[in-house]
Amino acid sequence: MPAFVPPGVIGHNRSLFARNYAILPPDGMFPSLLPGLREAQVFYQATPRMGARFAQGRLEVLPGGGTSGTREDGLEHFLYILSGTLTVTAGGTESLAPGGFAYIPAGTGFGFVNNGSETVSAVWIKRRYVPAPGFGRPGLRFGSRDATPRTTVDDSGRWRQYLLGTADMTMDFEMNVMGFAPGTHFHCVETHIFEHGLVMLEGQGLQLLDRDWHELWAGDFVWMGSFVPQQFYCTGWEGAAYLLYKDVNRDVE
Ligand code: UGY
Ligand code: MN
C-alpha cells in the first residue's frame, strides 16, 4: 500500500472550473497557510484570481489555533461556523457554535481562537466594502441561523433565512440560507447580475449552471459569476439547504 492514498478514484474528481462558474467539492482541495494565522488554514474556493469579486474559503482552525492577535485589512468579513466552536473578538467577544455567524465591517479589527477540543470548520468571506453615500455604514453583527426567522416562499415548499437582513442599503451583500422540500425548485431559471458563493449545508440536489445540470451534496461549493443561468432542484428523500453569498444593493461600476 502506498503511504498516501488520495480520496476517490485516481484520475477522477467532480471539480469543474468554467469561465464564469466553478464547482468545488471538498475532495482534492489544497489549503493555504497564511501569515497572521496559527494552527489554521484556508481552503480558498473563490477569489478575484478566478474572476470573482469577493473571496470565500473554508477555514479550519485546530484546537488552540486562531489569529495572531488582531487583524485589520480594510476588508469586510463574514464568518459562519459549520462545526466546532470559534471564539470571535471584534469589539465584543462571542463564542460561535455551528450556525453562528459574525459580520465584521471594514475597518474593524478582529481576531478568533479555537478554545475547544474539536477542529473548527467555518465559511470565511471577505471583500472590499462599497459604500452607499447617504445610507451610512453597517455595524458589527453576531447572530445564529437558529435565531433567524424562516420566510416561506408562497406554498412552493421553499424557504429562506436572511442572516444579515434583506434590502438593507448599508450592506453590499446578503448571506441567505435557501431551503427546499424534496422535489422543489425555483419558479424559473434565474439569470441576474448578482454573483454567488454557495455552500451546500444539507441534503442533495441538481444544480443548473449555464446549460448543464450537476449533482451537489452537503459540503460542495459553487461559484456563480454574474449572468450564469441557474436553477436548483432538490433530490433525495430529505430536504436540502445551502448558504448563499449574494452581492446586492449597488449600481453598476
Ligand atoms: O436569490 C437568489 O439569487 C437565489 N434564488 N439564487 C440561487 O439560489 N442560485
Ligand atoms: Mn441567484
Side-chain angles (χ1 to χ4, degrees), residues 209-226:
L209 294 165
D210 199 357
R211 283 287 167 272
D212 300 317
W213 289 92
H214 305 269
E215 283 197 277
L216 295 184
W217 287 278
D220 287 350
F221 173 83
V222 180
W223 168 57
M224 292 177 233
S226 295

Side-chain angles (χ1 to χ4, degrees), residues 158 160 174 176 178 180 186 190 192 194 196 198 207 224 230-232 242 244 246:
R158 291 189 286 114
R160 297 181 185 137
E174 287 181 1
N176 304 326
M178 315 290 289
F180 303 80
F186 292 115
E190 299 172 16
H192 51 56
F194 318 110
H196 290 311
L198 179 162
Q207 174 71 54
M224 292 177 233
Q230 55 200 252
Q231 168 67 289
F232 183 85
Y242 54 73
L244 192 71
K246 181 173 184 177

Side-chain angles (χ1 to χ4, degrees), residues 47-241:
T47 85
R49 285 187 199 178
M50 75 207 286
R53 299 186 300 275
F54 69 110
Q56 178 161 351
R58 193 174 62 79
L59 169 69
E60 246 180 38
V61 190
L62 296 175
T67 51
S68 319
T70 301
R71 51 187 294 147
E72 205 290 277
D73 52 14
L75 304 176
E76 57 183 341
H77 293 258
F78 177 81
L79 288 164
Y80 179 96
I81 310 306
L82 297 168
S83 62
T85 302
L86 191 67
T87 304
V88 179
T89 302
T93 295
E94 298 263 344
S95 275
L96 302 177
F101 61 83
Y103 168 76
I104 299 142
T108 303
F110 73 101
F112 51 76
V113 62
N114 179 359
N115 289 323
S117 52
E118 186 190 337
T119 297
V120 168
S121 177
V123 175
W124 191 0
I125 291 172
K126 47 182 131 174
R127 53 162 289 169
R128 199 157 298 287
Y129 176 67
V130 179
F135 285 93
R137 284 180 171 249
L140 174 71
R141 285 189 219 174
F142 289 107
S144 75
R145 179 180 167 190
D146 285 352
T148 307
R150 274 188 186 204
T151 314
T152 50
V153 185
D154 308 321
D155 58 355
S156 65
R158 291 189 286 114
W159 49 267
R160 297 181 185 137
Q161 288 172 287
Y162 297 106
L163 300 183
L164 298 175
T166 187
D168 172 356
M169 290 299 140
T170 68
M171 294 290 296
D172 58 4
F173 72 92
E174 287 181 1
M175 291 304 307
N176 304 326
V177 178
M178 315 290 289
F180 303 80
T184 62
H185 51 81
F186 292 115
H187 73 286
C188 67
V189 173
E190 299 172 16
T191 309
H192 51 56
I193 190 170
F194 318 110
E195 188 178 22
H196 290 311
L198 179 162
V199 176
M200 279 297 284
L201 297 174
E202 293 140 22
Q204 65 182 71
L206 285 170
Q207 174 71 54
L208 179 72
L209 294 165
D210 199 357
R211 283 287 167 272
D212 300 317
W213 289 92
H214 305 269
E215 283 197 277
L216 295 184
W217 287 278
D220 287 350
F221 173 83
V222 180
W223 168 57
M224 292 177 233
S226 295
F227 298 107
V228 175
Q230 55 200 252
Q231 168 67 289
F232 183 85
Y233 182 86
C234 179
T235 57
W237 307 117
E238 313 260 307

Side-chain angles (χ1 to χ4, degrees), residues 30-45:
F30 273 45
S32 297
L33 302 176
L34 300 173
L37 292 185
R38 295 173 297 104
E39 299 293 312
Q41 52 191 10
V42 181
F43 294 81
Y44 272 113
Q45 297 154 319

